Amino acid sequence: MTYSELSPRQDPHAFVEQYLAAHPEDVLSVDDAISADQGVTGLIYALAARGRDEMLLCRKVNGVSVPVVSNVFASRRRIARLLEVGPESLHQAFAARAARPLPLRHVDSGPILEVVHTGADVDLATVPMLRHFASDRAPYITSGIIVAADPDTGTGNLSYHRSMVHSPNELATSLHSRGDLWRILARYADRGEPMPVAMVIGGHPLFMLAASARVGYEVDERSIAGGLLGEPLEVVPTPEHGIAVPAWSDFVLEGTIDPGAHAAEGPFGEFSGYSSNRSTNNLIRVTSIMRRRNPILFDVEGGNTAEHLNLARIPRESEMAEKLKARFPDVTAVHYPTSGTHFHCYVALRQRRPGQARQVMLGLLGWDPYVKTVVAVDSDIDLTDDAAVLWALATHFQPHRDILLADGLPGSPLDPSSTSDGITSRMGLDATRGPDFDGKRIEISADALAHARLILAPSTPTGGIHA
């Protein structure tokens, strides 16, 4: 079947094929059979331990009937390629495209409508899911993007929510972020009605990135997806509720969330690196399953992996960098390190007056509820290098003078050190040199470095340094 009226640029399968052809060195294609029980996770963690972050294509996964693509978002370089820029321009490119949202393009047909099951034919056993960690309660959907709309305004919303099978036609899920979807659910609760939802599993990576965008309640992330794609997102209606979902999706589960219905879920391996039992324990009743005839499972690796963290922090960093640079022009860079999950942030600036770094840190701590610790450094420090930031902290920071604290603030309920309802404290560490700093960085001459590189080059003839 052909879809001549659709844009092939939005097909995630075409993305995989094209990326594999253009960047074969950045895709690990696995033909050997691996297990659906932690097999993909094992590969990703083994790669990370070797400093590698390739996109993973597993063609045969025992326990599921479809190929699995994972680790797509583990590399900032790869995400930048999606936006047609280099890694150094990632924040600016994301912010610029997200600022140009495009209305949805409604189409009559698409690959997601190739197979549709409704009513008694709904069976969640036909939806592929992976167990990511031994501590997980069950196999989980980790890439599920829930689509819902405000009942009064019709404004749509996208958000990620971990989900596991509760019964053949029910999913247990958590709305622990208590974001816009939680707010929409409250509107339906006031009406005494269940909330219609659709869960999209598998879409173009830019659609998946848009689902993490940090936008206001009145902004539909599907229009942000259009901005990132550079063309309107093509959507078809779901069978029962007419929810607009990407025409190129791999799976869509349609149903409702009853505000009064609950089912236990968790533990699940979260971004903190801990197995989390904290959950709102909501229940999705699935009334239809849509899928492509030959789908792929686009998985998002859980836990404290670069993929899980990047998917949320690239939009967060972009927003924070834009806000801070607009308010504080001397800010030069913002970075959320993998080592700090979502709880640490580094900011670099050209400090021109006393107290400037503290003011910037207060801005960050106030704007981002997940951040507990901000470290401010000078603009010559590489924020992507934890060792460089720790060196600045070791040599520029005096605890009695350069620390600020605030407590009793709402944070992430998934922070295992916070209270059960996510109340936390926050800290800023000023590791800039300050106006009275007395010291000069050591230097190595360009000639000495060039000579060293020549000696250490792989093609060094006999007489150089040998292992």
Side-chain angles (χ1 to χ4, degrees):
M1 183 180 294
T2 61
Y3 299 98
S4 57
E5 77 281 10
L6 298 182
S7 169
R9 292 184 58 239
Q10 298 187 30
D11 181 2
H13 295 199
F15 158 75
V16 173
E17 293 171 3
Q18 292 162 7
Y19 195 85
L20 179 59
H23 305 285
E25 79 291 344
D26 199 30
V27 181
L28 179 61
S29 183
V30 180
D31 294 319
D32 294 342
I34 64 171
S35 174
D37 185 351
Q38 304 169 74
V40 173
T41 299
L43 283 171
I44 289 172
Y45 272 81
L47 285 173
R50 292 161 174 76
R52 295 169 57 183
D53 55 17
E54 295 102 305
M55 185 168 79
L56 192 61
L57 170 58
C58 299
R59 301 183 186 276
K60 184 177 181 182
V61 181
N62 293 334
V64 299
S65 58
V66 300
V68 174
V69 172
S70 194
N71 222 36
V72 173
F73 301 97
S75 162
R76 288 172 180 266
R77 176 187 63 257
R78 193 157 50 245
I79 298 172
R81 284 172 176 164
L82 284 166
L83 296 170
E84 302 173 296
V85 296
E88 70 284 350
S89 301
L90 178 54
H91 293 161
Q92 299 95 310
F94 179 90
R97 291 199 186 194
R100 297 192 296 268
L102 295 172
L104 305 182
R105 178 177 175 239
H106 295 267
V107 297
D108 295 328
S109 184
I112 190 57
L113 296 175
E114 289 173 347
V115 181
V116 179
H117 294 293
T118 60
D121 293 330
V122 167
D123 184 2
L124 289 170
T126 64
V127 179
M129 303 179 196
L130 305 178
R131 182 187 291 272
H132 294 81
F133 301 98
S135 52
D136 286 355
R137 181 174 183 144
Y140 264 83
I141 299 170
T142 56
S143 58
I145 298 168
I146 293 182
V147 189
D150 183 283
D152 299 317
T153 67
T155 301
N157 179 75
L158 303 180
S159 52
Y160 285 91
H161 300 278
R162 71 194 198 202
S163 301
M164 55 166 268
V165 172
H166 178 67
S167 77
N169 66 345
E170 294 173 317
L171 291 170
T173 190
S174 182
L175 311 187
H176 48 254
S177 60
R178 289 178 171 82
D180 289 346
L181 186 64
W182 185 257
R183 184 175 169 184
I184 295 171
L185 183 62
R187 297 274 178 94
Y188 277 96
D190 290 342
R191 289 169 163 240
E193 301 173 5
M195 175 174 65
V197 297
M199 177 182 285
V200 178
I201 306 170
H204 192 280
L206 289 176
F207 167 77
M208 297 177 69
L209 192 61
S212 292
R214 309 248 299 183
V215 293
Y217 184 81
E218 70 287 350
V219 179
D220 188 332
E221 287 89 349
R222 289 172 296 183
S223 66
I224 301 297
L228 297 184
L229 287 161
E231 61 183 30
L233 180 69
E234 296 169 336
V235 295
V236 297
T238 56
E240 183 177 358
H241 300 291
I243 300 170
V245 296
W248 290 103
S249 307
D250 277 271
F251 297 87
V252 171
L253 314 180
E254 181 187 26
T256 58
I257 299 178
D258 185 330
H262 294 90
E265 69 88 23
F268 172 77
E270 275 292 354
F271 66 81
S272 64
Y274 282 90
S275 182
S276 174
N277 257 321
R278 295 184 176 183
S279 175
T280 59
N281 296 311
N282 289 99
L283 185 71
I284 303 175
R285 292 195 173 95
V286 179
T287 54
S288 68
I289 297 177
M290 310 156 65
R291 67 172 176 84
R292 295 176 72 152
R293 185 166 288 110
N294 297 298
I296 292 173
L297 173 58
F298 282 81
D299 174 65
V300 172
E301 181 57 50
N304 56 340
T305 59
E307 164 154 85
H308 194 183
L309 295 169
N310 274 344
L311 192 52
R313 69 182 168 182
I314 296 301
R316 180 177 282 119
E317 284 178 348
S318 300
E319 180 200 22
M320 289 299 103
E322 186 178 34
K323 278 187 173 182
L324 286 170
K325 289 179 180 179
R327 177 64 183 83
F328 307 110
D330 288 319
V331 169
T332 59
V334 176
H335 180 68
Y336 288 64
T338 298
S339 59
T341 67
H342 290 320
F343 303 140
H344 287 182
C345 181
Y346 302 154
V347 59
L349 69 152
R350 296 179 293 267
Q351 185 161 222
R352 303 181 189 276
R353 55 186 298 192
Q356 196 172 359
R358 296 173 74 89
Q359 190 176 27
V360 169
M361 291 191 295
L362 281 169
L364 260 169
L365 292 171
W367 275 327
D368 192 335
Y370 272 47
V371 169
K372 292 193 299 183
T373 302
V374 175
V375 181
V377 297
D378 296 287
S379 58
D380 63 332
I381 303 298
D382 180 2
L383 297 187
T384 65
D385 183 355
D386 276 343
V389 174
L390 288 174
W391 172 80
L393 195 62
T395 57
H396 305 160
F397 173 78
Q398 281 294 317
H400 76 283
R401 181 191 65 205
D402 297 325
I403 189 169
L404 61 88
L405 293 169
D407 61 9
L409 299 170
S412 169
L414 293 181
D415 177 2
S417 69
S418 69
T419 64
S420 59
D421 53 357
I423 298 300
T424 186
S425 57
R426 297 182 191 158
M427 175 173 65
L429 305 176
D430 182 357
T432 59
R433 294 182 180 89
D436 300 322
F437 184 82
D438 183 18
K440 185 178 186 302
R441 292 191 69 166
I442 58 175
E443 299 176 2
I444 303 174
S445 72
D447 287 345
L449 289 172
H451 190 222
R453 283 192 289 268
L454 182 65
I455 292 173
L456 296 172
S459 58
T460 300
T462 302
I465 295 177
H466 302 275

